[in-house]
Amino acid sequence: MTESSHRRIEHLLREHAPRVLGAVLRKFRDFGASEDAVQEALLAAAQQWPRDGVPEDPRAWLIQVASRRITDHVRAEAARRHREELVVSLVPPELQLVLPREGDELAGRDDALVLLFMCCHPALSTATAIALTLRAVGGLTTAEIAKAFLVPETTMAQRISRAKQSIKSSGVPFQKPTPEETGQRLGAVLHVLYLIFSEGYTASSGPELHRTDLSGEAIRLTRMLHTLLPEDGEVAGLLALMLLTDARRAARTGPEGELIPLDVQDRSLWDAGMIEEGVALISATLSKGSLGMYQVQAAIAAVHDEAPRAEDTDWPQILALYGVLMGLSDNPVVALNHAIATAMVHGPEVGLELLKALDAEGRLEESHRLDAVRAHLLERAGRHAEAVAHYREAAERTTSLPERNYLLTQAARLNDAKS
């Protein structure tokens, strides 16, 4: 089988994973057992389909195999422990190995939505929700998730296991969320997807700037959510933000993997198709009159992406949008970006003055970003000695090797220029 055929099968399995898990979970009502069974079915498909060919109905095949795995497990447990009540609770007679009907596609979409909301349940920590979303909805293996977050596989396995237990203990029913529940919990779902994308687009640690497996998966899952909730402005806004941001990825690193900042990127390398899709999405959702923080961030990204050159960037418009965003979010990173936009419009000294409020708050004291921004603004103000000190301080704080190398290069360049 060709490499393209293998990629097609991998894509097909990722696409079907959440709907298959949703269907199996709807049958057996046991998250842990269902998730394990679906993972076994996906593994079986990855081994058999390249050899035997893709079945006519891949989703039905996966559901049948996963259902058999659970049934076999339950029977083995019953035989070993003589606990017939386990069989009764997990495998009701009316739900025995029924393949999905043709009209079940709508149920499959609903199942994927329910599963996404379940993985982002308030009972779970953010880190756990991210891991469980990637495993259950994204179809990534435990090893893949562990590699992406630079932790041992055993550590990630324990995290996912605890998440399953938390969901089981919480007694959350597997059913489509009501409109009220959707409104209450959609923010948590979007936040998890945003964090997955952010970690993929700018890795917080390690030798690589990007982790495209994570950013790509976040875009895929958000696109799926947009299909399920097409009228929600913030879902569309988040998808637009991801597309408009990821469109620049090819220009963000040089031949040796070094970081290239936005103002000096080769914009011919930006993905015009992603920009076009992102601009269309955000334009359509803003025209409906609703406004949320992801929509505003997407609008800011669109202003950057539509500028043919860095010097053509409409900074007054970006500053105005950050003013709106400041009213929607109390995030210190938003305030930091607002200070940058202010400096670009009113001068670096005005931007530096705004950084003093962030110093006083202390919410960014563990981050390298405040020092990096201060160094950049000090350089623009001609205060090079101070800029060098803050570039070096930021380099010491970051755990990302490309960011550290960039910051040290900036410090060395300024230091050489003044000597």
Side-chain angles (χ1 to χ4, degrees), residues 147-213:
K147 182 180 179 182
F149 287 97
L150 303 179
V151 298
E153 185 175 347
T154 53
T155 300
M156 187 56 69
Q158 290 169 356
R159 187 179 297 175
I160 292 172
S161 178
R162 286 194 297 268
K164 293 183 198 176
Q165 188 57 46
S166 295
I167 286 181
K168 184 176 181 180
S169 301
S170 70
V172 182
F174 187 81
Q175 60 189 27
K176 188 176 180 179
T178 65
E180 182 181 5
E181 289 171 333
T182 299
Q184 291 172 345
R185 292 172 53 189
L186 182 58
V189 173
L190 295 179
H191 182 59
V192 166
L193 294 175
Y194 175 76
L195 291 177
I196 293 172
F197 175 80
S198 297
E199 181 61 28
Y201 189 70
T202 303
S204 59
S205 60
E208 304 294 335
L209 183 65
H210 303 127
R211 292 178 188 162
T212 54
D213 53 344

Side-chain angles (χ1 to χ4, degrees), residues 202-376:
T202 303
S204 59
S205 60
E208 304 294 335
L209 183 65
H210 303 127
R211 292 178 188 162
T212 54
D213 53 344
L214 289 180
S215 56
E217 191 59 28
I219 291 173
R220 189 184 75 83
L221 293 176
T222 307
R223 194 183 292 280
M224 180 190 79
L225 186 60
H226 178 55
T227 301
L228 298 170
L229 299 173
E231 299 303 316
D232 190 277
E234 276 290 76
V235 175
L238 179 58
L239 179 56
L241 173 61
M242 290 180 178
L243 293 171
L244 291 164
T245 304
D246 201 55
R248 311 178 204 131
R249 175 163 45 87
R252 289 185 76 221
T253 52
E256 303 301 322
E258 69 273 19
L259 186 154
I260 301 177
L262 179 64
D263 59 340
V264 294
Q265 287 176 13
D266 179 356
R267 299 188 176 211
S268 69
L269 297 177
W270 289 4
D271 190 317
M274 294 180 80
I275 293 173
E276 183 179 0
E277 183 183 0
V279 169
L281 269 171
I282 191 58
S283 298
T285 187
L286 288 178
S287 68
K288 296 177 182 178
S290 61
L291 195 64
M293 64 178 187
Y294 294 117
Q295 293 160 274
V296 177
Q297 289 179 78
I300 293 169
V303 175
H304 279 296
D305 286 8
E306 291 183 311
R309 303 173 303 166
E311 53 266 37
D312 298 324
T313 303
D314 189 345
W315 281 106
Q317 184 180 359
I318 289 175
L319 178 58
L321 287 168
Y322 269 117
V324 174
L325 190 56
M326 290 274 283
L328 296 172
S329 172
D330 188 34
N331 189 316
V333 175
V334 171
L336 188 64
N337 289 329
H338 176 259
I340 296 172
T342 300
M344 297 302 293
V345 175
H346 299 297
E349 293 292 354
V350 181
L352 285 165
E353 192 65 27
L354 291 179
L355 296 186
K356 293 180 180 179
L358 290 170
D359 288 331
E361 288 180 2
R363 288 190 290 170
L364 289 175
E365 63 182 0
E366 298 299 323
S367 171
H368 71 286
R369 299 193 185 282
L370 184 54
D371 277 305
V373 169
R374 178 171 277 114
H376 174 67

